[in-house]
Every structure is written in C-alpha cells, then in structure tokens.
C-alpha cells in the first residue's frame, strides 16, 4: 500500500550541532517533531515505516534519518492513497499557530515545500493531526485507509 505519512518524534533533551547531511548543522529544542513524508516506492508504507523504526542507520539516506538516530519515534499516522498529500499537509502545519518550522529545507529536496519537519514544544494533540489529514483527503474520490501506529517511545 502506497501513501503519505506523518511521524511524531520526541527529543527528551536539546540537540546541539546535529549534522543533517549536506544541509548543515542545527541546534534543536527538546520537544515534539512532526515529519511529513510519502511512500510511493517499492514496499510502500510498510517498508518506509520499517525503515523509520530502525533508529541506527549505517548510512543515513534521508534528512529524517539523521534526526531519527537521536529522537524517539512515538507514532506514525498513515494514509493509503494514490495522491501525494505531503505538501498539502506541510502547508497546513506551517499555517498552524502552535507549530514552528525548525529547519528550512529539511526533507524538502524533491518538493516545493519550505520543509517537511515541524516543531511543537508540547505533546501533539490528535485533533491537530486529524484536522491536517482530513482537511484534504475527505474529498478524495478513492477509498482511503487511515491508520495510527504507536511505538515504544524509548526506541
């Protein structure tokens, strides 16, 4: 099944000088990070979530891999769809008053979005993600499957 997803990551302490590939070094606050992505390649959503569940990466491939090595994975919200939804979701998150953009360009190499990573100092309310996800997909003509995957936040 192919589609789009939002990861919820938690940093229990600030990070100083996190190297994110060629994007640069960044300082990140403790708190919650939302990463918006898509999985339209081989293996679809299942393979992409399996990749993100593995904290250690011998060779990081995507920007999120660098942060994932330091952050705890709490949840992944997935939507199976043939439509790429990540930029719609990124615009909705960027417009939300409680959400900030911590690193311009993060995860946005192949899209026109400002970034695919967002920050909240407090736990993410499910109502926020529900509103972001449903805002656009509710009018899709194809059947959709929305799932919330919860993980042990210590990994």
């Amino acid at each position: 099944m192919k589609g789009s997803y939002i990861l919820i990551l938690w940093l229990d302490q600030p990070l100083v000088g996190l190297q994110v590939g060629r994007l640069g070094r960044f300082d990140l606050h403790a708190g919650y990070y939302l990463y918006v992505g898509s999985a339209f390649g081989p293996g679809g959503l299942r393979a992409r979530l399996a990749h993100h569940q593995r904290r250690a990466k011998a060779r990081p491939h995507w920007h999120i891999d660098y942060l994932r090595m330091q952050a705890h994975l709490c949840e992944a919200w997935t939507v199976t769809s043939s439509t790429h939804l990540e930029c719609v979701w990124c615009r909705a998150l960027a417009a939300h008053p409680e959400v900030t953009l911590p690193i311009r360009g993060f995860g946005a190499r192949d899209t026109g979005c400002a970034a695919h990573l967002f920050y909240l100092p407090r736990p993410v309310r499910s109502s926020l993600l529900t509103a972001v996800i449903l805002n656009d997909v509710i009018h899709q003509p194809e059947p959709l499957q929305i799932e919330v995957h919860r993980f042990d936040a210590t990994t």
Side-chain angles (χ1 to χ4, degrees):
M1 305 263 266
K2 299 179 186 314
S4 302
Y5 62 91
I6 299 175
L7 300 179
I8 301 174
L9 303 160
W10 172 56
L11 275 180
D12 57 354
Q13 58 187 347
L15 278 178
V16 177
L18 175 69
Q19 182 67 46
V20 179
R22 291 186 297 237
L23 195 60
R25 288 191 177 277
F26 301 92
D27 297 339
L28 297 172
H29 298 290
Y32 293 84
Y33 290 83
L34 302 175
Y35 175 75
V36 179
S38 63
F40 288 91
L45 288 165
R46 182 174 304 190
R48 190 60 53 86
L49 288 185
H51 174 85
H52 292 312
Q53 280 183 272
R54 290 188 305 275
R55 193 170 193 175
K57 309 283 193 291
R59 290 178 33 192
H61 180 71
W62 295 294
H63 290 157
I64 189 61
D65 292 340
Y66 296 92
L67 177 57
R68 177 64 186 105
M69 287 189 279
Q70 304 297 321
H72 306 285
L73 178 61
C74 301
E75 291 180 357
W77 290 53
T78 63
V79 174
T80 57
S81 171
S82 60
T83 304
H84 288 258
L85 300 168
E86 64 268 28
C87 284
V88 171
W89 294 351
C90 286
R91 284 191 298 275
L93 287 167
H96 196 280
E98 296 175 27
V99 177
T100 59
L101 192 84
I103 303 173
R104 189 159 197 71
F106 190 104
R109 251 190 330 233
D110 56 349
T111 69
C113 303
H116 283 234
L117 185 69
F118 302 90
Y119 172 75
L120 291 119
R122 289 176 288 290
V124 180
R125 294 184 329 274
S126 59
S127 60
L128 167 65
L129 291 182
T130 302
V132 166
I133 288 171
L134 292 180
N135 183 48
D136 192 61
V137 301
I138 202 139
H139 303 293
Q140 295 291 326
E142 65 181 310
L144 302 170
Q145 182 175 337
I146 301 171
E147 294 182 350
V148 178
H149 307 264
R150 291 189 169 83
F151 305 99
D152 178 1
T154 61
T155 59

